[in-house]
Amino acid sequence: MYRTILVPSDGSPHANDAAHVGGLLAARFDARLILQHIALGKDAVPRALRDQAEAGELGELLLDAAERTARTAGAERIEAVTDRGDPGKRILERANRESVDLIVMGQRGHGLLQGLPVGSVTHKVVQAAPCRCATVRHPSAEGGRKVADLESLLVASDGSPHGIRAVELASDLAATTGARLSLLHVLLAEATLEELRHLVDFDQLTPATRETLEFDNTTHDSEEIEAEAYRSVVAGSAALEEIGKLIVERAKAVACERGAKQVASVIRDGDPAERILQGAEAQKSGAIVLGSRGLGMLKSLVLGSVSKKVDRLAHCTTIAVT
């Protein structure tokens, strides 16, 4: 449950999508929604906006547009504020001062906010935020599906803490909009035995899978012993499928608890980014939701190859959750 949501806004398409997502979540929980503009100067905003207002009015213009977007999404308790200075620092200060539960921010921006996924602003906010964060990326493909037209969304779940948070946020969006929710699990072929051990309740596993996961190499000096044991998990793939089914079952329970009405699940093998993109296209998803950190091939999603590939090729909005 979110009581206070913060959405930094600079007028970029990514920030506008963030305002819509923040508005949907605020509507879901009757949360207080704070729209924050950080004054960057006239040269840091789009020419189309510069032509409409003097530098002193730009912040108000951008906040008005963000408020219209949030209200269209259903938010009612909206506050607009303008801060000046270093964007990352001001976002964190505002989040702490207002006891924010969730920060929703665009992954790209104008001026000082450009390059957010690998830039200092997002890194600073995500690493130091006192609450959860969701970074939103506008579709990079021309004519892509927009989060404002959300009828179906896909969430990639790997059972990690961030993956579970992604399921929670996606479920909240589905509950608010009535969108169909597709839970996708890609078999964790790159996860280590140690990672797999922490994902599931051993009592729910078959004896064969428990025996494999309980393998102890502490008495051996060679890492090849651990690798050989792990290969035995992957070889028949039955163990990974068993673990995947448990992860999906837990994700489905979370989705239903949070009010999602139309929930489907699918388990796939192969390259995670490709399977995520294929799943989103098959479902005509208006958004893809992923954990910002995960297991195996989903590690370091914000900076990693999976997220970059999904961001670059997705025909819909992408949301990474911490």
Side-chain angles (χ1 to χ4, degrees):
M1 178 175 180
Y2 306 115
R3 292 164 298 187
T4 304
I5 300 171
L6 175 65
V7 178
S9 181
D10 67 350
S12 69
H14 307 281
N16 291 338
D17 278 1
H20 188 82
V21 171
L24 289 173
L25 294 171
R28 171 67 175 161
F29 296 103
D30 189 27
R32 175 183 173 220
L33 180 64
I34 301 174
L35 301 173
Q36 179 190 32
H37 173 69
I38 302 185
L40 301 174
K42 190 172 181 177
D43 292 337
V45 297
R47 179 176 298 278
L49 293 176
R50 294 204 303 268
D51 292 342
Q52 295 180 49
E54 296 298 326
E57 300 171 341
L58 287 172
E60 183 177 348
L61 183 68
L62 292 171
L63 287 172
D64 285 346
E67 182 171 349
R68 287 194 298 273
T69 297
R71 287 198 185 281
T72 299
E76 295 182 355
R77 299 168 56 203
I78 301 176
E79 301 172 23
V81 298
T82 299
D83 293 316
R84 295 180 180 275
D86 173 76
K89 184 176 180 180
R90 295 296 174 260
I91 292 169
L92 291 169
E93 287 177 349
R94 180 66 63 175
N96 279 289
R97 186 186 315 146
E98 304 289 353
S99 299
V100 167
D101 302 297
L102 175 70
I103 299 172
V104 185
M105 59 193 304
Q107 286 192 21
R108 287 281 190 275
H110 297 302
L112 295 178
L113 295 184
Q114 287 180 348
L116 278 177
V118 294
S120 61
V121 176
T122 283
H123 180 76
K124 185 174 184 177
V125 172
V126 169
Q127 293 298 317
C131 59
R132 294 186 184 182
C133 296
T135 54
V136 183
R137 182 181 175 90
H138 188 74
S140 53
E142 186 175 349
R145 295 182 295 278
K146 299 178 181 178
V147 70
D149 303 320
L150 194 62
E151 295 182 358
S152 174
L153 57 83
L154 178 143
V155 57
S157 177
D158 64 358
S160 69
H162 286 198
I164 293 172
R165 292 169 195 163
V167 172
E168 291 174 345
L169 187 140
S171 302
D172 293 335
L173 292 175
T176 303
T177 63
R180 300 184 305 277
L181 178 62
S182 178
L183 303 169
L184 171 66
H185 175 78
V186 181
L187 295 182
L188 300 170
E190 296 298 324
T192 66
L193 276 174
E194 186 63 26
E195 288 172 330
L196 293 174
R197 291 181 186 120
H198 288 87
L199 285 179
V200 292
D201 182 351
F202 268 42
D203 292 337
Q204 295 181 294
L205 297 172
T206 60
T209 299
R210 286 203 302 270
E211 182 178 354
T212 303
L213 295 184
E214 287 173 341
F215 180 85
D216 183 5
N217 73 332
T218 56
T219 59
H220 303 277
D221 296 329
S222 174
E223 293 182 358
E224 293 181 2
I225 302 298
E226 175 80 5
E228 182 178 350
Y230 177 67
R231 280 195 294 273
S232 71
V233 175
V234 178
S237 80
L240 290 183
E241 289 183 4
E242 183 179 343
I243 292 170
K245 288 178 181 178
L246 291 176
I247 290 172
V248 166
E249 286 175 6
R250 181 170 58 175
K252 194 168 185 177
V254 169
C256 293
E257 286 174 4
R258 299 184 82 93
K261 300 300 183 184
Q262 303 179 69
V263 183
S265 60
V266 62
I267 297 175
R268 292 284 184 266
D269 193 7
D271 177 77
E274 290 182 3
R275 295 297 176 263
I276 291 168
L277 290 166
Q278 290 170 357
E281 283 305 297
Q283 299 294 328
K284 301 298 181 185
S285 301
I288 298 171
V289 186
L290 316 97
S292 61
R293 291 291 187 273
L295 299 168
M297 291 293 286
L298 295 183
K299 287 180 180 177
S300 303
L301 268 178
V302 170
L303 300 175
S305 60
V306 174
S307 182
K308 286 182 178 179
K309 187 172 183 178
V310 171
D311 280 346
R312 186 175 69 253
L313 299 177
H315 290 180
C316 62
T317 297
T318 56
I319 305 171
V321 184
T322 65

